Amino acid sequence: MLTGVEITNYRGFQSYQMEGLAQVNLLVGKNNSGKTALAEAVHLVMAGGDPTVLSEAAHRRGEMTSSEDGRLYPDLSHFFHGHEICSDSSFSIRSDDGFPKITVRLIPLEEDPSLFSESHPDEEFETPPTYGVMIEGAAGFGSEINDLGLSERGALIFNPRARGRQPVIGAGVPLRPILFVPIDSVPSRRLVQLWKQAVLTSKKDEVVGAMQLIADSIHDIVFLPSEGVSRSASGPRDWYVVTTDYGKPIPLGSFGDGVRRLMILALSLSQVGGGTLLVDEIDTGLHYSVMADMWKLVVKKAVESNVQVFATTHSWDCIEALSLFCETELSLMSRVAIHKIDRAIPHSVAFSGESIVRMVKSDIDPRS
Amino acid sequence: MSAGSLLPTLYVEGKDDISVINALLLRHGVDTQKGKQLLLIKDLESIELVLEIMPDVIKEATTRPVGFVVDIDIELTHRWEAVRGRLLQAGVTPPNPCPPDGYFGTLPDYPHMFGVWLMPDCKTDGKMLEDMVQSLMPAHHPLWPHAQASTAVAATLVDNANATINETTKKWKRFIDAHRIKAEVRSWLAWQAEPGVQLGAAINAHILGHDSPEALAFLRWLKQLYGFVQLNV
């Protein structure tokens, strides 16, 4: 389990440390304090420096740059402190979990343009790269200078010939499963994919069991895609919840966005046993009255499946619900921590479950 | 919703602390309540809660100075030892004994100070907020010796009556001896032109003064902790 992370020259942080990480970590802070950036940093290091983590993060944030032909590329410049790139720009993320330190470094290709171009004989890049992108510490894709390029404007260009290499961690550290649940709703296609994985890996019962934590009348969840509708268009109407309360299955959509979000959390947790789950704005779509149930689901499932969770929020209700959970589940209190993110100081401030309860009772807000 | 705030915050153990501190600041030209709020004073309702929350609040205060005001109440060394224990938990090593001008501390990397003031003067055993208030009474006020004597008489009356009652549950209740100053100060306030006004209101109404040595020392601590340059003390 990750207990600390140190980052340098990454996004809004010139140098920043997070310590005292627990099994379930809630990152709190004001808007633009860097909560999501830190969750993404954990994602990158725990995914062994996989560069698709960077490109997915850029896509989620809308950090794209267009080339002359109008094609959009992920804009890597925003990952570097100050949003500026130049020769030898780099950022790094160090963890204490046996994972190698990941350093993303730009190598000017003008010094040796052959490093990139010679490896791309068949590829005509509309936007010729100015830099090679070296991901030091990554043992898979991105570890070679000719895997990735960067245009002067920051466009991240993947070398398709190198794409086949899967990221694996060096030094005998096995890569653990990891998932990032973004703030906006997970696409139905992704939900179907997660569901299929759960069914194929016999984890469906676990998901149903997790959902029972919040409503014990739930007996089963079934996926029945509508006839004549393509899979990509499947929506909440294709999911049914079988409960002991009603004589017929009830569409998942009838339960509202909150239950769908909880199902995504339960599905995601079931797929990352022994690994890491990152959830941006974990309270999204949840009414405050189900927030305590959400924590029950997340913490219990995380402990049961040995998953380390990193979630962000800027909701007081979410913090209050975590406090309530700690008060009612004393044996799990030590498994959670809140981390205040404020760039006024160069490290996060960790609060234990006991501290969370004390602070909430006295109306002391760790986001302020 | 939480009353989360970016304001500099002062944590106190009772509502009388809030009214007295606000009134003292106002008499010295700092209005904490109207318009531009400069300071949030939070009542945690007991000294135990103030002490308990101290390490968390100090670590949480990345954006603003925070202070804590608690009564000495007991022997100064014991009160300071309890405070020191909490400050050690927060990650600082405070001096011993309590600095007579109040305590100021900083955590490494934090841009603001935090501080602790022991009411009323950071140095006298058994004293509390009401001793600060008493220091603000006009000198040689004829009712003060009378308030003290009357309080003593009141205690004796109850004690004598109770001496004849065997059942504990039927005995009359009175203030504990440690709180004698509370009864004396409120007795004195009961006999003013406007009888029985609250402690802070008595300062605002000029029934009480605002510049005893204890009050000025406390205001200097507030000025240094929160950077109240407008405080002329």
Side-chain angles (χ1 to χ4, degrees), chain B residues 186-205:
Chain B
R186 283 168 180 79
S187 299
W188 184 84
L189 285 168
W191 301 323
Q192 302 307 308
E194 188 182 341
V197 296
Q198 296 301 306
L199 304 181
I203 298 172
N204 286 331

Side-chain angles (χ1 to χ4, degrees), chain A residues 30 316-317 320 340 342 344-347 349-351 354-356 358-359 362-368, chain B residues 1-6 11 42 44 49 52-53 55-57 59-64 108-111:
Chain A
K30 288 176 285 190
W316 171 252
D317 288 340
E320 211 171 22
K340 175 178 182 169
D342 179 359
I345 59 170
H347 55 83
V349 185
F351 296 102
E354 282 182 355
S355 287
I356 296 165
R358 271 199 300 267
M359 290 169 77
S362 297
D363 204 22
I364 291 161
D365 187 345
R367 301 167 304 167
S368 61
Chain B
M1 288 296 287
S2 158
S5 161
L6 293 177
Y11 295 88
K42 271 186 118 162
L44 295 178
L49 262 184
E52 194 178 282
I53 206 75
D56 293 326
V57 167
K59 286 193 286 179
E60 195 278 325
T62 54
T63 52
R64 60 203 184 282
D109 302 322
Y110 279 57

Side-chain angles (χ1 to χ4, degrees), chain B residues 47-84:
Chain B
I47 191 165
E48 290 76 18
L49 262 184
V50 176
L51 291 174
E52 194 178 282
I53 206 75
M54 201 177 271
D56 293 326
V57 167
I58 290 170
K59 286 193 286 179
E60 195 278 325
T62 54
T63 52
R64 60 203 184 282
V66 289
F68 307 87
V69 173
V70 292
D71 286 347
I72 296 175
D73 279 337
I74 50 177
E75 273 185 48
L76 176 73
T77 50
H78 291 165
R79 173 61 68 229
W80 182 240
E81 208 41 56
V83 170
R84 278 190 90 234

Side-chain angles (χ1 to χ4, degrees), chain A residues 71-332:
Chain A
R71 284 170 69 184
L72 282 175
Y73 293 91
D75 185 349
L76 203 65
S77 67
H78 301 293
F79 288 78
F80 294 84
H81 186 61
H83 302 265
E84 295 289 336
I85 48 173
C86 61
S87 302
D88 212 31
S89 285
S90 69
F91 65 82
S92 60
I93 303 153
R94 182 204 297 272
S95 74
D96 63 353
D97 196 25
F99 279 74
K101 176 183 175 182
I102 299 296
T103 301
V104 177
R105 189 184 301 284
L106 302 189
I107 313 284
L109 289 174
E110 60 193 11
E111 287 176 15
D112 186 2
S114 64
L115 279 174
F116 200 85
S117 56
E118 277 183 8
S119 66
H120 299 76
D122 310 325
E123 198 70 20
E124 293 256 339
F125 287 104
E126 298 289 342
T127 311
T130 309
Y131 307 100
V133 181
M134 184 79 184
I135 304 183
E136 295 167 8
F141 188 77
S143 60
E144 302 289 335
I145 186 69
N146 53 13
D147 286 350
L148 300 160
L150 205 69
S151 77
E152 197 169 2
R153 292 167 65 181
L156 180 65
I157 302 158
F158 284 73
N159 177 354
R161 300 177 106 213
R163 259 187 195 275
R165 263 182 289 140
Q166 291 299 310
V168 287
I169 301 294
V173 181
L175 193 61
R176 299 172 211 168
I178 186 162
L179 271 175
F180 191 104
V181 178
I183 179 171
D184 44 359
S185 192
V186 168
S188 295
R189 191 162 28 91
R190 181 82 181 111
L191 197 58
V192 172
Q193 200 182 6
L194 283 168
W195 182 257
K196 277 177 71 179
Q197 281 169 352
V199 172
L200 290 172
T201 54
S202 308
K203 298 275 178 61
K204 188 190 144 187
D205 289 347
E206 282 184 27
V207 177
V208 175
M211 297 296 284
Q212 284 168 343
L213 286 172
I214 53 166
D216 55 12
S217 63
I218 291 177
H219 177 65
D220 199 4
I221 296 166
V222 289
F223 174 57
L224 296 169
S226 315
E227 283 184 32
V229 178
S230 73
R231 179 172 297 168
S232 61
S234 64
R237 64 184 174 278
D238 300 330
W239 300 85
Y240 292 86
V241 178
V242 183
T243 77
T244 52
D245 295 338
Y246 304 100
K248 60 178 182 179
I250 307 297
L252 182 65
S254 302
F255 289 84
D257 284 350
V259 168
R260 187 169 184 270
R261 178 81 172 170
L262 291 171
M263 186 166 142
I264 290 165
L265 291 175
L267 271 172
S268 303
L269 280 161
S270 77
Q271 291 306 304
V272 291
T276 313
L277 181 68
L278 305 128
V279 190
D280 199 15
E281 300 294 356
I282 195 163
D283 53 291
T284 304
L286 299 178
H287 189 254
Y288 76 90
S289 60
V290 296
M291 215 84 85
D293 287 335
M294 179 275 288
W295 282 122
K296 188 158 79 173
L297 184 155
V298 170
V299 182
K300 286 195 168 177
K301 191 72 191 152
V303 170
E304 192 184 300
S305 306
N306 191 25
V307 176
Q308 192 171 20
V309 176
F310 294 84
T312 72
T313 190
H314 55 230
S315 149
W316 171 252
D317 288 340
C318 187
I319 294 167
E320 211 171 22
L322 184 57
S323 168
L324 188 64
F325 171 80
C326 288
E327 276 188 281
T328 50
E329 301 279 351
L330 292 175
S331 63
L332 295 174

Side-chain angles (χ1 to χ4, degrees), chain B residues 69-226:
Chain B
V69 173
V70 292
D71 286 347
I72 296 175
D73 279 337
I74 50 177
E75 273 185 48
L76 176 73
T77 50
H78 291 165
R79 173 61 68 229
W80 182 240
E81 208 41 56
V83 170
R84 278 190 90 234
R86 299 299 179 164
L87 294 173
L88 287 164
Q89 281 178 24
V92 288
T93 309
N96 211 0
C98 175
D101 299 323
Y103 170 71
F104 300 96
T106 47
L107 282 180
D109 302 322
Y110 279 57
H112 301 286
M113 283 194 294
F114 60 90
V116 181
W117 180 266
L118 304 184
M119 271 296 178
D121 57 4
C122 293
K123 56 188 176 203
T124 314
D125 288 347
K127 301 278 186 179
M128 58 191 74
L129 176 73
E130 281 74 7
D131 290 285
M132 166 79 81
V133 172
Q134 196 278 320
S135 77
L136 300 169
M137 286 178 189
H140 314 298
H141 194 288
L143 286 175
W144 175 239
H146 184 60
Q148 290 178 294
S150 303
T151 304
V153 169
T156 307
L157 282 172
V158 174
D159 293 347
N160 288 346
N162 283 341
T164 62
I165 300 170
N166 289 327
E167 279 186 65
T168 312
T169 53
K170 290 193 174 170
K171 286 181 187 283
W172 302 103
K173 299 271 191 320
R174 71 158 173 92
F175 53 87
I176 58 168
D177 288 338
H179 288 173
R180 182 173 296 264
I181 185 73
K182 288 176 183 270
E184 290 171 348
V185 164
R186 283 168 180 79
S187 299
W188 184 84
L189 285 168
W191 301 323
Q192 302 307 308
E194 188 182 341
V197 296
Q198 296 301 306
L199 304 181
I203 298 172
N204 286 331
H206 292 241
I207 296 168
L208 291 163
H210 63 285
D211 54 3
S212 66
E214 291 87 340
L216 292 176
F218 173 59
L219 288 163
R220 279 193 291 273
W221 174 79
L222 284 175
K223 179 179 183 175
Q224 191 173 340
L225 180 59
Y226 296 107

